[in-house]
Each structure stands twice: as structure tokens, then as C-alpha cells.
Amino acid sequence: KFTANNIQNKHPSANYRQLGRNGYVAFSGNNSQFSSSIVSATKAAIEQHRQAQEHKEAYSENSFDAVFYSPIVILNRSLYTANLDKKEQIKLQKSNHVTYRFNYMSPQYEEKSYLADIVTLDGLSAYIDKQDTWIESMFQFLKSIYCNV
């Protein structure tokens, strides 16, 4: 059966046991660029979705379009995760990709929780490969539902 959970469970970010919830850019003196990059990427994805919804009358009832919007921020610097280990000591680990969860609300957009991918330049190729694999699996999944009806 086709549900939103089927899509979410197959997304590459669904395999991560941890989601980023707080960000800090060390030694930069200005942490707002990090936050504004995530918000800008997310607003662009929301706006693309809204525009697609406004123009869906252009599609026929016999067609089916699946569109996925994924906010992504690409960093040209190192990315680290910080977690507590079993002894409750902070453990830093270098990473090439973090899925970041945050809540966003503005006068133009309703309050929702969003996921944005933060990827380093070094990890971009592997990230794109995972996204390509997911898109192909979604194509096969949707094809099996709608082409075998």
C-alpha cells in the first residue's frame, strides 16, 4: 500500500539513528550564517512545493507526478557531531553528512518540523549516490503500484 511512511522509511536519512538538533559554527564569531543557510534551503523547498501545488491543474487525471524536495546545505569546511557516550562524556566525531531537524514557522509558512541535509564537499559524491539510489528505488516502488493496476 502506498503511504507517506513508505516513502519516508526508504529515504537515506531514515537510516540515521541520530538527527542533528543544534548547530554551532566554532570560531567564526557569527553563528547566524549556519542557521540562515538551513532556513533558506528549506524555504526554497517549501516554495517549490507550493508552486507545484498551485499549478497541478495543468496535469491530467490520468497522469501521476511524484516530486521530492530535499533541502541541502553544502559546507566547504569540516563537520562534526557531538554525542554523549555511555560514561556521559562528550564524543566528537568528524562526519561528511548530518541530517538536521528543526522547527520553523513564519507568517508565510505554518509551523512544522523539517529535515535538512548538511553535507561537506568531501561527502557530496557519496551523498548524491545515496540520493540517486533512493530516487531509483522510489521510481520502482511507484511503478509497481501504478503500472500494475
Side-chain angles (χ1 to χ4, degrees):
K1 184 178 178 184
F2 179 72
T3 66
N5 282 338
N6 293 116
I7 292 172
Q8 286 179 326
N9 291 337
K10 293 177 185 298
H11 192 274
S13 295
N15 296 325
Y16 292 105
R17 291 176 286 168
Q18 300 171 337
L19 294 174
R21 292 185 302 237
N22 196 359
Y24 181 75
V25 181
F27 309 112
S28 70
N30 186 355
N31 196 17
S32 65
Q33 186 178 8
F34 175 77
S35 298
S36 67
S37 296
I38 294 169
V39 170
S40 293
T42 302
K43 283 171 51 177
I46 294 168
E47 200 55 40
Q48 286 294 318
H49 177 70
R50 185 184 348 206
Q51 288 178 14
Q53 291 297 96
E54 289 174 1
H55 298 289
K56 64 182 180 180
E57 73 278 354
Y59 303 109
S60 75
E61 291 182 16
N62 297 328
S63 70
F64 176 81
D65 291 329
V67 181
F68 303 101
Y69 301 98
S70 297
I72 178 175
V73 174
I74 301 170
L75 295 178
N76 188 15
R77 60 177 60 184
S78 297
L79 178 65
Y80 293 87
T81 61
N83 300 293
L84 293 178
D85 64 15
K86 292 179 183 179
K87 296 178 183 177
E88 295 191 15
Q89 298 295 313
I90 295 175
K91 179 183 172 188
L92 286 178
Q93 187 171 358
K94 195 168 186 177
S95 179
N96 285 325
H97 173 220
V98 173
T99 300
Y100 186 80
R101 176 185 298 248
F102 68 104
N103 295 316
Y104 181 71
M105 181 181 74
S106 77
Q108 291 84 19
Y109 307 110
E110 64 185 88
E111 182 177 5
K112 285 189 178 180
S113 181
Y114 294 95
L115 297 177
D117 288 319
I118 303 168
V119 183
T120 64
L121 280 176
D122 291 341
L124 188 57
S125 180
Y127 175 83
I128 290 171
D129 289 344
K130 285 182 182 179
Q131 294 298 316
D132 283 346
T133 300
W134 177 70
I135 290 170
E136 180 60 32
S137 73
M138 283 295 93
F139 171 74
Q140 295 302 329
F141 176 68
L142 294 171
K143 182 178 166 184
S144 71
I145 292 171
Y146 290 101
C147 293
N148 294 328
V149 174

